[in-house]
Structure formats: structure tokens, C-alpha cells
Amino acid sequence: MSVAEKPPLSVLICAPRGFCAGVVRAIDAVEKALAIYGPPVYVRHEIVHNKYVVESLRQKGAIFVDELDEIPPTNAPVIFSAHGVPKAVPEDALRRNFFAIDATCPLVTKVHREAEVHHRRGRHVVLVGHAGHPEVVGTMGQLPEGAISLVETVADVAAFTPPDANALAYVTQTTLSVDDTREIVEALKARFPTIVGPHKEDICYATTNRQEAVKRVAPQVDAMIVVGSPNSSNSQRLREVAERAGCAAARLVLRAEDIDWTIFGNIRRLGLTAGASAPEVLVEEIIDAFAERYEVTVETVSTADESVFFPLPRELRKEAAE
Ligand code: 2E6
Ligand code: F3S
């Protein structure tokens, strides 16, 4: 097909999109550990929820495990993923004399500390989040069994029986839907007026900003692609936000080869964003795939500036590594 025969396609690309400061820090931690100590470097769980990132680190010598008991006795670094771990994991690492490096996002660690403070002050903690997600498992694992109750929906709030309705606090997962969480927090406050919590919730800046940009773009396009993995909570939320903001065809796409051209083969305007764990190279790959079929013009729609940076885990900072 010659260039002249291609139909026009206007691509509205969201900003901010893609890597957040916690993801950059976690990936840098694995790369720095590989550079300083050489392979292998063990990583518990996908360092961030992206197969492309995991595969490229694996090729450099990272070994990914689900649990520490898969790791043989070793002096090699053992890194915990950005999503955080239950207290039992660093305790187990210490027992086994592992050189543990915690790549938990500082904004997740902040939630862990909030939960601990509430517990110390005698409050039962309500965690708003998605059952089974590693961040939720990690946050619940900061406190003794039974000290945290998980609620996922407004209906869960209605059904919840607290040990003491006047000694309650809430914390949230960092990657939730801002709108759904507002409703759940309102329901908690309506049922338990003395409940203590953060100013709004614990949803991080990156999640909030990426959802805001999607809300601006989604009503203006025929279809929307969110670059990200199915197990990435923040990416899944972006797809939902796009759908709710009026874009009927919003899809999560891992990379260009996964595009369903029956949906994206006959459109005029495309919205594009990427979850916090999706590398920009995969966004570029997707634009290239569209450029093979369309005469593409790209316009950036920016709703916030981001300048957040987190230093590497202590064990990997220059002074410590020397
Ligand atoms: C850690 C905490 C929050 O599934 P989720 O969105 O939590 O995770 P990723 O790896 O897709 O995104 C980054 C991240 C890490 N978000
Ligand atoms: Fe942290 Fe939010 Fe990213 S919690 S890892 S900054 S998506």
C-alpha cells in the first residue's frame, strides 16, 4: 500500500503515562544490583507487572521466584518487588542469611507504616483494595492476623462488622480507581463517622495523574489502547476509566503484536496511554504499528507535570556499594 492510500488517524497520547518513580527505582535497583554484584540476582515476584521488563532483566541475569524457599543458600542479592511484601518475608530472608534489598515503592511503604500506627493506637484497620493482589497481601501482612479487614466494594462496607465501630481506621491500595474509592470511603465514613484515615485515600500521584489524563482523552476518541499487562492493577484501572469516560472500545494491550485489528483497523481517532509499569518503547512500537496502516498524526494531551524521584534502596546507593 502506498503512503497516499493510507487513511488518516489522529492519535491523542496521554501525558503523564508509563513509568512512575517507584517503577524506575525498582527496575534500577535490579540493574544496579546486577552491575555491582554480578548475576545471579534473585527477585521475589515480577519486579513490576510487565513481562517485557521481566524478560529483559532475566536476560541480564535476574532470576525471578514466587517465594524465597525457591532460592538456594546464596550470597547473591535477593530483591523484593515494588508491590511490597508481608513482614514474614524479610523475617524469613534474615533467618536464611540472605542479602535482602527491598524495592517496595516508598509510597507503598508509607501505607504499611500508616497501618502500623493505627494498629499501635488500638484501631482495627480497614484496607480498601483488591483481594489477592500482591500489594494487598503485603499490606495485610504488616499486622497480625485479624488486625486488618479487606473491603473491595460499597457492598462490602455495608456487610462489614467491625470489632469496635468507634476504633476504626482505613488505608487503601495505591492503584485503585479514584472514583470507586471515593464512593467506598464515603460509605465507610457514613457508617462509621469516627473512622480515621488519610486526607482522601492512599492512591498514589502516578495512578491519579494517569487516570485524569485518560478522562480527558477518552471522550474524544473512537478507541483507546492502554499499554500494560493484565496483572497490572493500575493499567486495568486505566482501561476501566477510559470505558466509563465514554470510550466504548478500550483495550489493554501488552505490545503491538497483541493489537486486535478487527477493533482498531477502521477508526479515525485513537487514544493511547500506558500503565505505570509499561516501558515507553512499547508505546512507540504501537505507534509504529498504526503508522503501517494509517497516515498518523500524534498529539500529546497533558493534564499534569510529574517530577517525582525516589533514591535507590540504601544498599545500592553509591556510598554503600563502594
Ligand atoms: C507497586 C505498587 C503500585 O498491579 P500494580 O499496578 O500494583 O503494579 P504494576 O507493577 O503494574 O505498577 C507499578 C506499581 C508497583 N504500582
Ligand atoms: Fe509507587 Fe504509585 Fe508507581 S505506588 S510504584 S508510584 S504506581
Side-chain angles (χ1 to χ4, degrees):
M1 197 193 284
S2 75
V3 172
E5 291 167 25
K6 292 182 190 175
L9 179 73
S10 167
V11 178
L12 297 188
I13 185 161
C14 295
R17 65 176 175 281
F19 279 7
C20 60
V23 162
V24 169
R25 174 180 185 263
I27 296 171
D28 282 356
V30 180
E31 290 190 331
K32 191 77 187 280
L34 282 163
I36 298 172
Y37 301 101
V41 163
Y42 291 92
V43 184
R44 182 188 178 279
H45 192 71
E46 290 187 346
I47 186 73
V48 298
H49 289 149
N50 189 278
K51 297 258 173 300
Y52 178 92
V53 170
V54 166
E55 198 42 51
S56 57
L57 291 173
R58 191 177 280 137
Q59 274 166 25
K60 293 176 187 171
I63 297 177
F64 290 87
V65 297
D66 292 329
E67 292 300 341
L68 299 190
D69 60 16
E70 295 164 46
I71 305 175
T74 179
N75 293 324
V78 175
I79 301 183
F80 308 147
S81 82
H83 315 93
V85 289
K87 273 216 158 91
V89 172
E91 285 167 5
D92 190 24
L94 189 67
R95 245 191 323 272
R96 296 195 57 198
N97 283 321
F98 286 152
F99 171 31
I101 298 173
D102 188 1
T104 302
C105 175
L107 299 181
V108 174
T109 304
K110 180 170 158 266
V111 179
H112 291 179
R113 297 294 79 84
E114 278 172 33
E116 270 188 332
V117 168
H118 292 312
H119 181 63
R120 234 181 288 130
R121 294 185 179 166
R123 299 172 186 138
H124 183 81
V125 177
V126 177
L127 169 62
V128 183
H130 296 294
H133 187 280
E135 182 183 330
V136 164
V137 173
T139 301
M140 302 217 30
Q142 297 306 303
L143 300 188
E145 188 90 28
I148 302 193
S149 302
L150 180 68
V151 300
E152 297 187 78
T153 59
V154 169
D156 286 351
V157 174
F160 172 55
T161 313
D164 175 356
N166 282 314
L168 277 179
Y170 71 91
V171 296
T172 78
Q173 195 177 340
T174 57
T175 54
L176 301 177
S177 149
V178 171
D179 294 333
D180 287 351
T181 308
R182 189 185 307 114
E183 285 182 14
I184 295 170
V185 167
E186 274 170 13
L188 279 170
K189 286 180 174 169
R191 254 202 92 191
F192 310 110
T194 61
I195 195 166
V196 179
H199 173 54
K200 282 201 231 156
E201 15 67 4
D202 297 299
I203 298 172
C204 74
Y205 80 96
T207 299
T208 305
N209 290 348
R210 280 153 191 67
Q211 288 180 18
E212 209 46 50
V214 166
K215 281 184 191 169
R216 178 80 64 84
V217 165
Q220 306 180 49
V221 294
D222 307 317
M224 182 118 194
I225 286 183
V226 178
V227 186
S229 292
N231 61 339
S232 166
S233 166
N234 78 87
S235 307
Q236 285 286 8
R237 302 295 80 78
L238 293 177
R239 196 203 60 74
E240 280 170 16
V241 166
E243 215 165 58
R244 291 179 192 174
C247 178
R251 296 288 183 277
L252 196 59
V253 169
L254 210 50
R255 59 187 307 174
E257 65 191 22
D258 304 313
I259 298 170
D260 178 352
W261 292 107
T262 61
I263 296 169
F264 295 98
N266 188 23
I267 54 174
R268 302 295 295 271
R269 287 165 82 79
L270 173 73
L272 185 56
T273 188
S277 46
E280 185 65 9
V281 61
L282 300 183
V283 175
E284 286 162 8
E285 189 186 270
I286 282 174
I287 295 175
D288 290 347
F290 276 92
E292 281 179 18
R293 292 166 171 81
Y294 292 96
E295 193 59 39
V296 166
T297 52
V298 180
E299 184 191 331
T300 300
V301 177
S302 180
T303 52
D305 288 323
E306 287 181 352
S307 56
V308 180
F309 168 80
F310 297 131
L312 280 171
R314 212 176 344 97
E315 302 82 353
L316 296 169
R317 287 181 211 153
K318 195 166 175 285
E319 325 78 70
E322 274 167 3

